Amino acid sequence: VQLQASGGGLAQAGESLRLSCGASGRGFTINAMNWYRQPPGGQRDLVAGIGSGGRTNYAESVQGRFTISRDNAENTVYLQMNSLKPEDTAVYFCNVFAFSPSTRWRHYWGQGTLVTVSS
């Protein structure tokens, strides 16, 4: 399973950005889809997740500002980020928990996309 993320960039505080991450490959089935982020000098933490049935969960710091969604037909997960704050500055990584005949169930990671929010 290969993941390709896009949509990062530079925004001012209060603005919005939308991240996308598409999964490709052969013969795989995706369960959970997640977004993580890693700020400069910091650790990688979960931002938001969405299960196969659409149930979502969010980090407290983004609750009410970020929305995660998925398009199962396109194997794509989105992260709509509104009311951005400078502390949202980080590299954002998409992550999926997927099954493939060769590797069974495991987590896959995208390459990361940088989001920079200026004050």
Side-chain angles (χ1 to χ4, degrees):
V1 179
Q2 293 82 44
L3 300 176
Q4 182 67 46
S6 62
L10 179 64
Q12 291 192 335
E15 293 183 340
S16 300
L17 286 174
R18 189 190 195 210
L19 305 182
S20 301
C21 179
S24 61
R26 302 184 68 176
F28 64 92
T29 300
I30 296 176
N31 188 330
M33 307 182 85
N34 308 293
W35 286 97
Y36 284 75
R37 69 185 181 187
Q38 186 168 12
Q43 64 182 23
R44 190 177 300 188
D45 291 319
L46 179 67
V47 175
I50 183 167
S52 57
R55 179 174 293 184
T56 60
N57 61 284
Y58 297 92
E60 187 174 341
S61 59
V62 306
Q63 185 78 42
R65 299 188 298 120
F66 290 10
T67 302
I68 189 171
S69 60
R70 63 190 286 172
D71 182 333
N72 292 328
E74 297 294 329
N75 292 317
T76 300
V77 61
Y78 303 96
L79 186 67
Q80 178 66 43
M81 305 185 294
N82 298 331
S83 301
L84 283 163
K85 303 176 180 180
E87 51 263 43
D88 295 319
T89 295
V91 177
Y92 285 70
F93 297 89
C94 60
N95 164 279
V96 301
F97 186 59
F99 174 90
S100 73
S102 59
T103 60
R104 318 301 286 183
W105 287 103
R106 55 159 286 188
H107 285 274
Y108 296 86
W109 291 90
Q111 84 283 7
T113 183
L114 177 62
V115 172
T116 303
V117 184
S118 62
S119 57

